[in-house]
Amino acid sequence: MTLTLTLTPEIEQYLTQRAQEQGLSTEAYTLQLLGEYILRKQKQVKLVNLLQSWRDEEDAEEQQETGEYLIHALDEDRLSERKLFPIELKGVTW
């Protein structure tokens, strides 16, 4: 597919400079950037979908137990005696 873009002078200058630094043509560098961006977005979408699927499982009791375990583990593994999640603030700040 051939795609024609009209770039601002600033973007063109940026792409040309970075391409030269990489030893690539401006077109090759721009295609590389676009490919990397698309792959990153695809990974983000997969991650969001995975996290959403976990939320949609609707196992509230398991989620509650996991949350309480994590809070307990974070409070236990501290050098300080000060708790990250003091029980008196439950429902207020966390």
Side-chain angles (χ1 to χ4, degrees):
M1 174 173 116
T2 301
L3 181 64
T4 304
L5 300 172
T6 304
L7 303 174
T8 65
E10 295 83 8
I11 293 175
E12 182 180 3
Q13 180 183 4
Y14 174 85
L15 291 172
T16 301
Q17 185 177 4
R18 295 298 177 268
Q20 288 174 351
E21 290 172 2
Q22 302 260 333
L24 299 170
S25 68
T26 304
E27 293 81 8
Y29 179 73
T30 304
L31 186 58
Q32 178 183 326
L33 279 180
L34 185 59
E36 290 171 358
Y37 176 82
I38 290 169
L39 289 175
R40 190 170 46 248
K41 280 297 184 183
Q42 287 175 335
K43 287 180 183 179
Q44 287 174 351
V45 167
K46 285 180 182 178
L47 180 58
V48 167
N49 289 340
L50 176 62
L51 292 172
Q52 188 62 48
S53 74
W54 291 347
R55 290 187 70 190
D56 293 343
E57 287 179 359
E58 296 186 23
D59 191 351
E61 183 178 330
E62 181 182 351
Q63 290 176 10
Q64 183 69 31
E65 289 173 6
T66 302
E68 289 174 8
Y69 171 79
L70 289 173
I71 287 170
H72 179 73
L74 288 170
D75 274 341
E76 285 279 315
D77 191 26
R78 292 184 46 79
L79 297 175
S80 167
E81 291 298 318
R82 184 177 155 267
K83 301 288 185 190
L84 285 176
F85 302 97
I87 195 67
E88 62 272 8
L89 295 179
K90 185 174 184 175
V92 177
T93 61
W94 58 278

